[in-house]
Amino acid sequence: MMKRISLLFRAIATIFLSLIIYVVIGYQPVYADLSLPIVVDKGIYCIDVHPLQHQLIVRKHGQKIKTYSIAVGNPSTPTPVGEYKIVYKGKNWGPSFGPRWLGLNVPWGNYGIHGTNRPHSIGQHLSHGCIRMRNRDITELFDMIPLGSKVTIYGHVLGDPSHNPRDLAEGDVGGDVQLIQSRLKSAGYYNGKCDGKFRSNTTAALKKYQRDRHLAQNGVVSIKIYEELGLLE
């Protein structure tokens, strides 16, 4: 009888201690790595970016209220496809960035929506991945859009469907790198973080994958690797 009471007391104490930890420290669930960033919550405003059309659309409560012409990344340094949110608002970073900057939570680099001292680039694929706007437009957008607003950048993570995806090697960054890391991880070759940064650990994992499939162990993601990983038919 005393033993049962003792066990019951220990169970109650464990539950009580767990509740204290939950309240004081906060509950922090563990999630598996996502293959692409996903933003669930929506505020009053959200932004849709259509790189092929060179358009940025602002929506309020889901209704389109503004459309701007933009410049986006060139094929070798593409604008990151996916769902992000605005996590930083800055002013006057320098002439190349215009008067305002809206920073995105892209995991593999500093990407954002900003102005430019090259207005002729608007309507073209000429940036290094960021979204360029005319200076008067970014100033208007900056004042309109609050921190935390969702930004959806449309397109295929491997690039324009009418062209082959780019070859990838150490030093490259992007959603395509993140996708390769995710596939290598699922296959048991990669143990790092799927952060879209092609570093030495990604190279090592890729070379092991190439070795096991009797492919050239050069650490380069070619069309053959995309096919082997089931990303191309």
Side-chain angles (χ1 to χ4, degrees), residues 9-180:
F9 178 78
R10 288 182 183 179
I12 293 172
T14 300
I15 294 171
F16 183 72
L17 181 60
S18 298
L19 288 172
I20 292 175
I21 293 173
Y22 182 96
V23 172
V24 175
I25 299 177
Y27 177 55
Q28 297 180 335
V30 177
Y31 295 97
D33 283 339
L34 298 174
S35 59
L36 286 174
I38 294 174
V39 177
V40 177
D41 295 332
K42 287 187 177 182
I44 296 174
Y45 293 93
C46 66
I47 293 173
D48 294 340
V49 176
H50 299 275
L52 290 180
Q53 289 76 37
H54 303 101
Q55 285 188 343
L56 182 151
I57 296 170
V58 180
R59 297 183 185 276
K60 183 177 182 181
H61 297 301
Q63 300 299 312
K64 184 192 298 187
I65 61 169
K66 266 293 193 182
T67 300
Y68 298 101
S69 295
I70 56 173
V72 294
N74 63 60
S76 61
T77 56
T79 296
V81 172
E83 294 182 341
Y84 308 99
K85 63 182 177 180
I86 295 171
V87 292
Y88 177 78
K89 297 177 72 172
K91 297 181 179 181
N92 301 318
W93 275 27
S96 297
F97 301 102
R100 301 289 186 271
W101 168 280
L102 299 174
L104 304 176
N105 64 330
V106 179
W108 53 83
N110 294 320
Y111 292 86
I113 306 168
H114 61 79
T116 181
N117 59 354
R118 299 178 181 178
H120 62 272
S121 67
I122 302 299
Q124 301 185 64
H125 286 71
L126 282 180
S127 82
H128 291 101
C130 288
I131 298 160
R132 294 180 188 170
M133 301 180 69
R134 294 182 176 91
N135 288 340
R136 66 175 182 270
D137 291 342
I138 186 60
T139 300
E140 182 176 73
L141 186 69
F142 183 94
D143 293 338
M144 184 191 319
I145 301 298
L147 286 170
S149 297
K150 180 180 178 180
V151 177
T152 303
I153 302 175
Y154 289 89
H156 195 288
V157 69
L158 296 182
D160 186 346
S162 63
H163 297 88
N164 288 329
R166 60 177 182 156
D167 287 354
L168 300 172
E170 193 165 323
D172 286 328
V173 297
D176 44 7
V177 175
Q178 189 182 41
L179 186 56
I180 293 295

